[in-house]
Amino acid sequence: MQLIGKFMNKFITSLIIALSLLGCGGSAAKSNLLTPQDDVVSQNVELMDLRSSIIILQSEIIALRENLKITEELNRSLQNRIEEKVSRLSILENYPNRSNASGTTKNFPAGKKSEDVDIESLYKKALALYFESNYEESIKTFEYLINID
């Protein structure tokens, strides 16, 4: 895109130099007078300059459209990720056995805090219950683990 613009600028510069060299062959009195032919040549040069500017602007528009597409895709992706996070947050907030309104955690044995519980042994116990097909107790134990850590 910028390559086209550079090429057109060099082309126009070369054309202007060539036209000015052609016009220098006459006398000084003749060069002061603008002929209709000179006017047409200068209009053609201006036309070519405008056309090259249009080509440059069109290439910039194409680049901007591509950037817009990429930005819109990124925006959609981020919006989907936000929606997934909001959904996950809603599920976790409504998950049973979470902290109650007073801030204490449900299903804690009386007098025990999360620091007092051996998480690794409790996890092994929940896993053993699962492999023994005692799913109900296994689920309760895993939920307890989630609540404390």
Side-chain angles (χ1 to χ4, degrees):
M1 292 167 262
Q2 290 180 347
L3 183 64
I4 294 171
K6 288 180 183 178
F7 172 76
M8 291 303 290
N9 285 338
K10 286 182 180 181
F11 175 74
I12 290 169
T13 304
S14 300
L15 183 63
I16 291 172
I17 291 171
L19 290 174
S20 65
L21 288 175
L22 288 174
C24 291
S27 67
K30 190 176 179 183
S31 65
N32 289 338
L33 299 173
L34 286 177
T35 65
Q37 195 174 24
D38 291 338
D39 193 34
V40 169
V41 169
S42 69
Q43 286 178 352
N44 284 340
V45 169
E46 187 178 350
L47 242 164
M48 289 175 58
D49 187 38
L50 290 172
R51 285 182 180 149
S52 68
S53 295
I54 289 171
I55 290 170
I56 292 168
L57 290 173
Q58 286 173 336
S59 66
E60 289 176 5
I61 288 171
I62 290 169
L64 288 171
R65 283 183 179 152
E66 289 298 318
N67 286 340
L68 180 62
K69 284 179 186 177
I70 292 168
T71 304
E72 286 173 344
E73 288 174 17
L74 180 61
N75 188 25
R76 276 192 296 275
S77 171
L78 290 173
Q79 188 64 37
N80 288 340
R81 288 177 59 193
I82 288 171
E83 289 171 5
E84 289 172 7
K85 301 281 184 197
V86 167
S87 173
R88 179 80 173 127
L89 180 62
S90 174
I91 289 169
L92 290 174
E93 286 176 342
N94 295 322
Y95 189 77
N97 297 327
R98 299 295 292 176
S99 295
N100 62 19
S102 66
T104 59
T105 306
K106 297 179 183 177
N107 292 341
F108 261 93
K112 284 217 170 195
K113 296 180 181 175
S114 63
E115 298 87 25
D116 299 335
V117 178
D118 183 13
I119 294 175
E120 187 176 347
S121 64
L122 198 55
Y123 174 77
K124 288 179 181 178
K125 177 184 173 186
L127 207 53
L129 289 168
Y130 172 79
F131 287 119
E132 292 170 2
S133 300
N134 190 348
Y135 300 116
E136 192 172 314
E137 284 300 313
S138 175
I139 289 171
K140 287 180 183 178
T141 309
F142 278 118
E143 286 177 344
Y144 175 75
L145 277 169
I146 290 171
N147 284 327
I148 63 173
D149 191 14

